Amino acid sequence: MTEQTVVIVGASHAAVQAVDTLRREGHTGRIVLVGDEPYLPYNRPPLSKKYLAGEMERERLLLRSAQFYEQHLVDVKLGLRVTAIDRADQRLRLSDGAELRYDKLILCLGSRNRLLEVPGYDLKGIHYLRTMADVDGIRADLPGAKNIVIVGAGYIGLEAAASVRHLGLDVTVLEMADRPLHRVTTPEMSAFYMHRHEREGVRVLCGMSVSSFKGDAAGHRVTGVVCGEREFAADFVILGVGILPETTLAATAGLRCENGIWVD
C-alpha cells in the first residue's frame, strides 16, 4: 500500500500516531488528515486543568507542531466534517460539499459528550468540557462570576472544580452516585478525593440528580440548577456526565457498531 491514499478521519491522538507509524513503516503515498476542529491535534487532559486555569497557552497543547505534518507530507484539512462514507466507491463526502477519494480509511473519531437533556439544558451558560472551544467558552464566562455548579464528580468534574476554585470562585459539585469517581475507584480513594476538594473549599454533594436548569427572567441564561426540591445558584454550569463512543458516521456507512465500532 506504499503508493495508496490513506485518509485519517479525526484529528486525535490516535490520528497522530497513525501518521507517524505509516511513515516509519514505509508508506510513501498520500496521507490526508481530516479534523472537524480548526486546530491541529492537541492534548486534551490539560483542558480541565492548566488550560482552564489560564496557565497554559494554546500552542503548548498541540501533540505535534505544524512542522511534523509538513515533514511527513500530510495534507491536513481542518474545520471540516466527514458527512458520509461511500464504501463502494471509496469516497468521503465533506461538510463543504467536496469529495475525497481513499484507498485505505482510518477512523479515529473517539467519543462525544453525553448530554444532560433535562428542562433548560439549552440555556446559555451551560458548558461541557471536551474541546478547546468548550474551555474558551467557560473562560469567557469567568469574569464577574461567583457561584459555579459542576454536575458530575468524575475526573472532568473534579479537575474542573479544582481549577475553578483555584481562581477564587465558589464551587458546588453535584454527583448522582453515592460517592465521587464511583465507577473508576475504591470507596477509600473516593473519600480521599472528596475530602481533598472539601479542604480547598469545594462543596461536593452526592446522591443529587439534576431535574432541571433554572433560567433568568428572559429565559435565556442559566441562574440555577434544580435537584428535586433543592436549587443551587449558578452563574454558569459545567457538565461532566460522561461520554459516548462517536459511531454515527460508521453506523451510517453500514459498519457494525456496539458501544463502539466492531473490529475483528
Side-chain angles (χ1 to χ4, degrees):
M1 58 174 281
T2 56
E3 297 304 321
Q4 294 181 335
T5 295
V6 177
V7 177
I8 303 171
V9 181
S12 62
H13 202 153
V16 176
Q17 187 59 52
V19 168
D20 184 68
T21 301
L22 283 166
R23 290 305 189 211
R24 283 192 292 105
E25 295 295 327
H27 177 67
T28 58
R30 186 185 183 203
I31 299 178
V32 185
L33 173 61
V34 183
D36 59 359
E37 294 185 64
Y39 314 110
L40 290 170
Y42 58 89
N43 200 18
R44 295 182 187 272
L47 290 177
S48 55
K49 298 186 277 289
K50 288 190 175 182
Y51 188 69
L52 175 57
E55 299 173 357
M56 177 178 284
E57 298 298 323
R58 180 174 296 172
E59 291 71 22
R60 291 179 56 198
L61 291 173
L62 298 182
L63 291 165
R64 297 295 185 98
S65 68
Q67 287 73 25
F68 168 84
Y69 304 95
E70 295 171 1
Q71 293 168 358
H72 287 72
L73 303 178
V74 181
D75 182 359
V76 180
K77 298 181 181 297
L78 300 177
L80 291 172
R81 290 183 301 103
V82 174
T83 59
I85 302 172
D86 184 339
R87 295 168 63 194
D89 200 32
Q90 293 185 241
R91 290 182 181 274
L92 305 176
R93 186 175 301 113
L94 305 181
S95 54
D96 64 352
E99 292 190 343
L100 182 61
R101 189 193 66 80
Y102 66 87
D103 294 301
K104 299 291 183 180
L105 178 62
I106 303 176
L107 298 180
C108 300
L109 297 171
S111 55
R112 65 181 188 275
N113 288 314
R114 184 188 297 275
L115 303 182
L116 184 58
E117 295 181 312
V118 298
Y121 76 97
D122 55 350
L123 290 167
K124 292 181 179 179
I126 297 178
H127 302 276
Y128 290 87
L129 202 165
R130 180 158 182 78
T131 68
M132 205 181 294
D134 290 338
V135 181
D136 290 343
I138 294 170
R139 290 172 63 176
D141 272 351
L142 286 173
K146 180 181 179 182
N147 297 307
I148 311 305
V149 174
I150 296 175
V151 180
Y155 286 122
I156 292 294
L158 293 181
E159 289 171 358
S163 297
V164 175
R165 179 60 185 161
H166 179 70
L167 297 175
L169 284 71
D170 293 332
V171 182
T172 299
V173 177
L174 305 176
E175 168 57 44
M176 183 172 62
D178 60 352
R179 57 185 173 89
L181 300 171
H182 178 88
R183 294 179 58 193
V184 296
T185 193
T186 64
E188 292 79 7
M189 289 299 294
S190 292
F192 169 82
Y193 283 113
M194 184 167 181
H195 295 155
R196 183 72 177 86
H197 279 72
E198 289 177 336
R199 284 204 307 271
E200 296 297 326
V202 176
R203 182 166 58 155
V204 182
L205 301 177
C206 296
M208 305 297 293
S209 181
V210 175
S211 52
S212 65
F213 297 104
K214 184 178 179 180
D216 57 17
H220 298 315
R221 185 171 182 85
V222 68
T223 59
V225 180
V226 180
C227 297
E229 297 181 354
R230 300 186 67 177
E231 181 178 327
F232 302 90
D235 295 308
F236 67 84
V237 177
I238 299 174
L239 301 179
V241 293
I243 57 174
L244 298 170
E246 183 51 86
T247 58
T248 303
L249 182 64
T252 303
L255 297 176
R256 180 180 175 183
C257 297
E258 296 178 10
N259 195 34
I261 301 173
W262 186 272
V263 295
D264 59 27

